[in-house]
Amino acid sequence: MRIYITHCSAKKDDSLKNSGNKVPPDKLYTATPTKRFMNKCKEKKTNWAIFSDLYGVWFPGMEHEWYEKEPDKVTEQEFTELVNNFDRKLQNYDEIWFYHNPGRFHSLYKRLLQETRLKDRVKLFTHIREII
């Protein structure tokens, strides 16, 4: 079983800020590359998720509040929790396809993919058309 995943973005729907409303990831993130990723996954009816610097693996059926968490601000303890979250939530997938822009791929996500117990299942990809 395959899942497509990408990292979160700083661009979010600011109308949700301080509202207390919980929404799925496709209602929160507004950055163009993230939107394209989510829309393509929905179009292809495939498994997908967003990797949030705060919430970890965020599946489309889950809802969370607007948040602000920069990857540079993740502590070592939080990082360990994020790796454990990644491992736990994605353990049932044989293939984990991680969408990224090599020129803007934060070191936090590189490190995550090096330290996950599932690293042998991860395939990095850079083109939306690879979502099938």
Side-chain angles (χ1 to χ4, degrees):
M1 189 164 55
R2 177 184 296 178
I3 189 167
Y4 296 94
I5 189 166
T6 194
H7 55 80
C8 60
S9 68
K11 290 185 181 177
K12 300 175 185 78
D13 181 346
D14 283 337
S15 73
L16 297 166
K17 192 174 186 177
N18 299 320
S19 71
N21 293 339
K22 292 183 177 184
V23 295
D26 60 332
K27 301 291 187 225
L28 180 66
Y29 298 110
T30 59
T32 301
T34 309
K35 287 299 252 188
R36 281 191 196 128
F37 168 83
M38 293 184 293
N39 288 337
K40 186 68 165 187
C41 288
K42 289 190 286 186
E43 174 192 321
K44 293 293 186 177
K45 296 180 172 53
T46 188
N47 296 314
W48 65 276
I50 300 292
F51 184 78
S52 161
D53 302 330
L54 180 64
Y55 298 121
V57 176
W58 186 356
F59 295 106
M62 301 169 71
E63 294 186 344
H64 291 295
E65 292 182 28
W66 192 99
Y67 70 97
E68 188 69 48
K69 181 73 174 177
E70 297 173 31
D72 289 334
K73 306 283 187 202
V74 172
T75 67
E76 280 303 310
Q77 181 180 340
E78 290 169 335
F79 178 76
T80 299
E81 291 169 11
L82 289 170
V83 172
N84 290 336
N85 173 284
F86 187 92
D87 290 347
R88 186 178 68 255
K89 288 190 173 177
L90 299 179
Q91 67 185 346
N92 294 329
Y93 292 94
D94 304 311
E95 297 178 39
I96 302 164
W97 286 49
F98 203 108
Y99 176 65
H100 75 298
N101 175 338
R104 294 183 164 201
F105 198 44
H106 196 278
S107 59
L108 176 83
Y109 310 124
K110 289 179 188 173
R111 186 175 161 211
L112 167 78
L113 298 180
Q114 291 168 345
E115 295 193 23
T116 174
R117 292 191 321 261
L118 308 176
K119 64 179 154 253
D120 294 340
R121 304 179 196 182
V122 175
K123 175 185 176 11
L124 291 171
F125 74 107
T126 57
H127 298 288
I128 291 288
R129 68 177 177 267
E130 294 180 72
I131 298 172
I132 54 171

